[in-house]
Amino acid sequence: MFFKRINILHVILNIELWERFAFYGLQAIINTYLLKNKSLLLSEYDVIVIFSSFTALLYGVTPFGEWLGNKILGISRTMQLGLFISLIGYILIFLAQENKKIIILSLSILAIGSCIFKVNPSLILTNYCSKKNNSEIDRVFTLYYTIINVGSLLSMLLTPYLFFKYGWQISILSSILGLMISLITSFIYKNKIQKFGSKIDVLPLKITTITNCTILILLITLVFYSLINTNYIANILSSLIVTIYTFIIIKQTLQLKSKPQKEMVAILILMLESLFFFVLYNQAPTSINMLTIKNVNTKISNINFRPEQFQSLNPLFILILTPVLNYIYKKNNISVAYKFLTGIILYSISFIFLVIGIDINLLDTNTLISPLWIILCYLFQSIGELLVSALGLSMITQLAPKNLINISVNIWFLVSSISSFISGKIFNSITQQHNISQFTSLIIFKNFFTKIIILCIIVVFLISIITPYLNFIIKNKIHKLNK
């Protein structure tokens, strides 16, 4: 009786929560682990190259996961396959210890598993929302994003603690357990998932299909293994994929009638804005995390926190602020175009707090800045994230023509891929030697964040000019849907 009452939304939220718990747990500690493991002989530059390549490839091949779900295996089986492959990756990294080749192979397997899984829950929710109005769609995707951050918060608090208290293997064991819960859930509720999947879901699989998919996945994994070591080539590959998909969607947009064409143009412009947003967003696990490790006093009210645990402020603030924003949305009909603009402005302000905090310490010749500035930074970034990243898929569902929704969702994830490379490239411009002083480190970070603020001012000015036009298109679309 209990299982019958659970609907598809509950199922997808549970699967996503534990999959993200596993992923963000690894993200919270992977850079620290690679740097602290002296036997790996990795510099700060090497670590950021590995991390940015891993995350970029993870998002860069999401069209492959969508293709498997809609055309080859069915969404339900593709989700299970992605989770199973990811589980192998976590188990392998659990066993890797100090072997660099095994660690990179593990990350390659995790990247292919995650990209196979990643897009399919979003497609199921898109199908689930197909007959709902705009406010309900926003509510569903905001709830979806909230659950992701529940998993993120739990793992970012727990995993660094386990890592420094009990070691690498125990911390990764928590990710393995999270993945197992997600995988088991996908099997228990397979029939519910199939109802909102693709036509392929209910068809039996042929042996040749299974064989071909296995060979293809193995080949992609080997390619990923090579690319994680060669950031430049990985960048070219990901850029090529984005270029091809962008060309396809532009070509199909040009074939649309006047109004749908304008709506797709609005989506593409908002995706371009989101590219800049994600470049800023990716500073959290890179530059902001490194600043916290090197130059932040992590003691709050006589409690010593691990620097890596400060990343959990982001999901914590999102959980607190989501009900507040939902209340504001109910009282005020704010266009997604203005939400994107406001989100990017708030993200820009977050870096000003970091520069202020650093400046105060430079005047006092103190090398450890107050945690207050990091907290304020994450607070403004969290609000900005809820206004952009949390509503991206909702925006696509509302604006895109039905025949272009899937490709638009793929491009949304591909934008994250490109932003990972750009973020890694930007941060690598300030990677530091281990023997520099903390005072010099502060100066380097100040100059870096100041350049980001200047760039933000320019971009916000340009977005402010185009936003009224986007708002006009979106309002016309919503008016037409409400008739």
Side-chain angles (χ1 to χ4, degrees), residues 50-305:
I50 290 172
F51 179 76
S52 60
S53 298
F54 162 65
T55 53
L57 290 172
L58 186 156
Y59 290 106
V61 197
T62 50
F64 176 61
E66 186 267 331
W67 174 72
L68 283 178
N70 275 322
K71 305 294 183 183
I72 307 298
L73 300 176
I75 289 177
S76 175
R77 287 185 287 238
T78 302
M79 283 176 57
Q80 290 170 350
L81 176 63
L83 291 170
F84 179 72
I85 293 172
S86 296
L87 183 59
I88 293 173
Y90 285 112
I91 291 172
L92 197 58
I93 206 168
F94 171 82
L95 300 171
Q97 294 186 353
E98 299 178 353
N99 190 316
K100 180 185 173 183
K101 291 182 179 179
I102 300 297
I103 290 172
I104 292 179
L105 177 61
S106 304
L107 292 176
S108 305
I109 294 170
L110 277 172
I112 185 64
S114 295
C115 82
I116 287 174
F117 168 84
K118 185 71 182 172
V119 74
N120 287 287
S122 305
L123 294 176
I124 288 172
L125 288 186
T126 299
N127 293 336
Y128 172 72
C129 291
S130 60
K131 295 181 181 179
K132 296 184 180 295
N133 61 40
N134 293 322
S135 62
E136 287 178 312
I137 293 172
D138 272 350
R139 185 188 66 82
V140 167
F141 279 100
T142 302
L143 181 59
Y144 176 61
Y145 205 79
T146 302
I147 287 298
I148 287 173
N149 281 279
V150 170
S152 174
L153 173 63
L154 293 173
S155 60
M156 284 185 169
L157 284 173
L158 178 64
T159 311
Y161 171 79
L162 294 176
F163 176 49
F164 286 96
K165 183 77 173 178
Y166 301 106
W168 171 253
Q169 288 185 307
I170 297 299
S171 61
I172 292 300
L173 185 61
S174 66
S175 291
I176 292 173
L177 294 174
L179 236 294
M180 290 178 67
I181 294 171
S182 192
L183 185 59
I184 291 168
T185 303
S186 72
F187 276 105
I188 292 174
Y189 296 104
K190 181 180 178 180
N191 292 336
K192 287 184 182 291
I193 297 171
Q194 287 178 341
K195 290 179 182 178
F196 293 91
S198 60
K199 294 177 182 179
I200 311 296
D201 273 289
V202 294
L203 300 177
L205 286 179
K206 298 178 181 178
I207 297 297
T208 53
T209 302
I210 297 171
T211 304
N212 292 337
C213 285
T214 303
I215 294 171
L216 187 57
I217 289 167
L218 288 173
L219 288 174
I220 293 174
T221 304
L222 291 175
V223 170
F224 277 17
Y225 177 80
S226 301
L227 294 179
I228 288 177
N229 281 312
T230 51
N231 181 263
Y232 179 70
I233 299 174
N235 194 359
I236 292 175
L237 176 65
S238 189
S239 300
L240 181 63
I241 294 170
V242 172
T243 302
I244 292 169
Y245 264 75
T246 304
F247 174 77
I248 292 170
I249 202 166
I250 289 174
K251 182 181 177 182
Q252 293 185 343
T253 298
L254 292 173
Q255 294 172 353
L256 295 171
K257 294 179 181 179
S258 178
K259 284 187 178 180
Q261 189 178 93
K262 288 180 180 178
E263 290 155 9
M264 278 307 301
V265 169
I267 287 176
L268 291 173
I269 293 172
L270 289 170
M271 283 187 179
L272 194 59
E273 292 180 16
S274 72
L275 173 61
F276 179 71
F277 165 82
F278 281 120
V279 170
L280 301 180
Y281 174 82
N282 286 328
Q283 295 310 309
T286 53
S287 61
I288 297 173
N289 186 39
M290 288 298 179
L291 170 69
T292 310
I293 291 171
K294 292 173 180 289
N295 293 103
V296 174
N297 177 9
T298 58
K299 189 175 183 179
I300 303 175
S301 299
N302 294 321
I303 301 174
N304 284 312
F305 291 92

